[in-house]
């Protein structure tokens, strides 16, 4: 099988024939994740929240975030249909894996890797609210604030980023690139195509 990921040096990669460079390194991400975990620990003191990770992209952020939460918490996952192999949102969302936990009366914290148009998050929030939780909040590592099409309340945001395609730290390009510990952005000249 031909390799899709080529690591050139510390800062640049080629993924599926397109060039990306580091926009946030692992240290920067981990520092922010620690801050979010500390905030959540304070805000949910005495509440035992259930974190709902959005598969597949949020698995890495969720794992790191949970390790920084210093109160009782639980975890479950939901899975939605994704972009497929494309770099722009199809706008079509489907639920592929349902939550196993009973959310009635619970404090739900949805954990997402990135909010782009907001359509996925709106869809997830509708599912959450239909199960009568006590509260629902959202934590997202990244928010593409210029791409928002529907308004959703984002309670904790790691970084606000421009409308650029990013990979790494759980985020993929055609299912590859998730294993990169840093976050990469498509080089600007590549975006013209
Ligand atoms: P939305 O429904 O348009 O907000 O898209 C949300 C989902 O699209 C995220 O959970 C990601 O899986 C995916 N996504 C959005 N932007 C990017 C990106 O820049 N790189 C990789 N995946 C992305």
């Amino acid at each position: 099988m031909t390799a899709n990921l080529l690591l050139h040096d510390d800062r640049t990669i080629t993924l599926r024939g397109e060039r990306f460079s580091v926009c946030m390194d692992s240290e920067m991400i981990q520092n922010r994740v620690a801050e979010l975990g500390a905030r959540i620990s304070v805000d949910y003191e005495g509440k035992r929240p259930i974190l709902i990770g959005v598969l597949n992209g949020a698995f890495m952020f969720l794992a790191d975030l949970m390790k920084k939460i210093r109160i009782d918490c639980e975890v479950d996952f939901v899975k939605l249909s994704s972009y497929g192999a494309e770099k722009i949102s199809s706008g079509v969302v489907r639920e592929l894996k349902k939550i196993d936990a009973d959310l009635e009366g619970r404090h739900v914290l949805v954990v997402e890797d990135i909010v782009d148009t907001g359509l996925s998050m709106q869809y997830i929030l509708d599912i959450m609210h239909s199960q009568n939780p006590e509260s629902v909040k959202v934590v997202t590592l990244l928010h593409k604030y210029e791409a928002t099409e529907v308004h959703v309340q984002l309670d904790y945001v790691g970084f606000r980023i421009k409308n650029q395609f990013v990979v790494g730290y759980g985020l993929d390009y055609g299912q590859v690139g998730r294993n990169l510990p840093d976050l990469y952005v498509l080089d600007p000249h590549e975006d013209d195509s």
Side-chain angles (χ1 to χ4, degrees), residues 23 30 45 65 68 83 87 108 114 125-126 128 133 153 164 166 168 174 181 185 187 189:
C23 59
Q30 294 303 330
E45 180 76 57
L65 181 68
K68 298 295 178 188
Y83 281 19
K87 292 191 298 244
V108 172
I114 186 165
L125 291 175
D126 284 349
M128 301 296 139
Q153 171 79 29
Q164 292 167 310
V166 289
V185 63
D187 272 352
H189 63 274

Side-chain angles (χ1 to χ4, degrees), residues 54 56-57 82-83 87 89 91 93 112-121 144 161 164-167 171-173 178:
V54 185
N56 292 332
S82 73
Y83 281 19
K87 292 191 298 244
S89 180
V93 186
E112 179 62 295
D113 54 352
I114 186 165
V115 174
D116 185 341
T117 61
L119 288 164
S120 305
M121 188 52 69
K144 277 191 199 174
I161 63 167
Q164 292 167 310
F165 190 75
V166 289
V167 293
L171 288 101
D172 73 307
Y173 177 23
R178 295 192 197 276

